[in-house]
Amino acid sequence: MKLLDSCKFVVGTFPATAANTTWNNQTYLLGNAVNMENYGHLTVVLIGGPDPGPMGLTTLINAATDAACVIAGIAAGTSWYVDPSYYYVNTCTSAESDTWTKTAVATAGSTIITAPFTVANENYIIELDAAALTHGPWVAVNSVQGTAGIFAALYILSQPRYISAETAPTAIV
Amino acid sequence: MGKLIDSVKFVVAAQCIDTQTAWNNQTYDLGNAINVENYRHVTIVLIGGVAAGTQLAVKVVCVATDAACVIANVGTTAALVPMEWVYKNIQTAVQSDTWVKTAVVSDTFTPTTTTNHLNWVIEIETASMSLAPWLTINKVASGAANYMAALYILSQPRYISAEDAPTAIV
């Protein structure tokens, strides 16, 4: 069975430079938000590169609508942080590795990772159950503008309400 | 509900890297080979960036050992993994999460040369590998500076071991 039959892959952020780039969910290239209404679980994979960053504060944002799913809405009360409690980090700084180390979030209730991609070839996984969302089905990964490096992000939505081989429900509308 | 990391193994195949560099399996950040002996299925996700030049042939190589898992050995000690189709996602101007099933010829596909933000999913049943258990994605160096990342997702493990899935790189 193909994984594509049971999961929905959505590119969160294309390989993009951290300098002058905030993952903001407002363009499809940068932390594009996803709608979890048809999925029970979300996995976010962040892939670093040989040129270290870091990026800035990295969070997950939750809101009732796509447009509201931005970090600016936190202060306005139209979006909210999601706290997954922990994330997983993988580092290939000097040798290959497929070990993912469970790590507590930086600040409970808000920041997940303070400065991701501080060293070369760091990668992260964030796991989130839809049940943890408190303000609607939309979720976006947000990362404050960094200083250097090229990084990408991938959303994998799993545990779908509907099994529909090769035509899984969209997660971006 | 379970975390995906409890039931699959994530291995970064290629970090976000300038595609002027060939993915060769000989360094850990360039198409790193994986051992699929404990998994029945492999999904490979390729994430493209801004295309600044030619992207060249992508193949998947299989062989008996990590060191031999290189494109140069295809036809002797290594072989290409049969690949009849790939799934393509394109976001040139708008967001999209649609993956279009696309036929592949000669177990090789070539990402479009001038299209930005082109992404690919390759699905492989490990039973289809003529040589095992090592597998790697190989991509010829591009003609200009582009960025592309690749992720292996190994699923249907022989052993379910939450948060401690068997390694796939040794």
Side-chain angles (χ1 to χ4, degrees), chain A residues 39-52:
Chain A
Y39 299 89
H41 192 81
L42 172 68
T43 304
V44 187
V45 185
L46 310 180
I47 303 176
D51 300 321

Side-chain angles (χ1 to χ4, degrees), chain A residues 51-94:
Chain A
D51 300 321
M55 285 289 283
L57 297 178
T58 298
T59 54
L60 283 178
I61 307 298
N62 174 215
T65 67
D66 189 354
C69 202
V70 294
I71 194 138
I74 298 288
T78 55
S79 66
W80 291 264
Y81 290 119
V82 182
D83 183 357
S85 300
Y86 48 83
Y87 61 96
Y88 297 84
V89 60
N90 163 250
T91 303
C92 296
T93 306
S94 59

Side-chain angles (χ1 to χ4, degrees), chain B residues 83-167:
Chain B
M83 184 164 42
E84 297 179 4
W85 60 77
V86 297
Y87 295 84
K88 180 170 69 174
N89 167 248
I90 184 168
Q91 304 195 44
T92 307
V94 295
Q95 64 177 359
S96 167
D97 65 352
T98 299
W99 297 83
V100 178
K101 190 173 181 177
T102 305
V104 165
V105 177
S106 301
D107 305 323
T108 304
F109 70 93
T110 302
T112 306
T113 56
T114 57
T115 302
N116 293 343
H117 308 121
L118 203 55
N119 312 292
W120 305 85
V121 169
I122 303 169
E123 299 272 11
I124 297 169
E125 287 288 327
T126 56
S128 71
M129 296 163 57
S130 59
L131 297 167
W134 287 88
L135 171 156
T136 189
I137 187 163
N138 181 276
K139 190 171 74 61
V140 175
S142 71
N146 315 301
Y147 280 85
M148 185 173 275
L151 178 70
Y152 297 121
I153 307 172
L154 297 97
S155 55
Q156 300 175 37
R158 294 170 62 194
Y159 309 102
I160 296 295
S161 177
E163 296 187 16
D164 189 27
T167 183

Side-chain angles (χ1 to χ4, degrees), chain A residues 1-5 7-11 13-16 28-29 32-33 40-41 43 45-51 66 86 88 90 92-100 102 121-123 125 127 129-131 150-154 156 158-159 166 169-173, chain B residues 1-6 8-12 14-18 28-29 32-33 41 43 45-50 66 85 87 89 91-99 101 116-119 121 123 125 134 147-151 153 155-156 163 166-170:
Chain A
M1 182 178 177
K2 302 185 295 293
L3 200 59
L4 202 60
D5 287 346
C7 296
K8 185 73 175 176
F9 294 104
V10 184
V11 176
T13 301
F14 290 90
Y28 64 94
L29 310 176
N32 200 10
H41 192 81
T43 304
V45 185
L46 310 180
I47 303 176
D51 300 321
D66 189 354
Y86 48 83
Y88 297 84
N90 163 250
C92 296
T93 306
S94 59
E96 64 178 356
S97 169
D98 64 351
T99 299
W100 298 84
K102 189 174 181 178
N121 302 319
E122 255 185 339
N123 311 292
I125 286 176
E127 298 271 12
D129 274 341
I150 305 284
F151 313 116
L154 176 70
I156 306 171
S158 55
Q159 301 172 24
E166 297 187 17
T170 182
I172 56 173
V173 293
Chain B
M1 290 190 276
K3 303 184 292 293
L4 196 58
I5 202 171
D6 286 346
V8 305
K9 183 72 177 177
F10 292 101
V11 184
V12 175
Q15 303 280 350
C16 293
I17 201 155
D18 187 334
Y28 61 89
D29 53 0
N32 198 12
H41 193 85
T43 303
V45 185
L46 309 181
I47 303 175
V50 175
D66 189 355
W85 60 77
Y87 295 84
N89 167 248
Q91 304 195 44
T92 307
V94 295
Q95 64 177 359
S96 167
D97 65 352
T98 299
W99 297 83
K101 190 173 181 177
N116 293 343
H117 308 121
L118 203 55
N119 312 292
V121 169
E123 299 272 11
E125 287 288 327
W134 287 88
Y147 280 85
M148 185 173 275
L151 178 70
I153 307 172
S155 55
Q156 300 175 37
E163 296 187 16
T167 183
I169 58 173
V170 294

Side-chain angles (χ1 to χ4, degrees), chain A residues 5 19 22 24 31 33 36 46 76 98 120 128:
Chain A
D5 287 346
T22 296
N24 60 11
M36 291 187 66
L46 310 180
D98 64 351
L128 181 73

Side-chain angles (χ1 to χ4, degrees), chain A residues 118-141:
Chain A
T118 299
V119 300
N121 302 319
E122 255 185 339
N123 311 292
Y124 304 87
I125 286 176
I126 302 169
E127 298 271 12
L128 181 73
D129 274 341
L133 303 180
T134 54
H135 294 84
W138 288 90
V139 183
V141 63

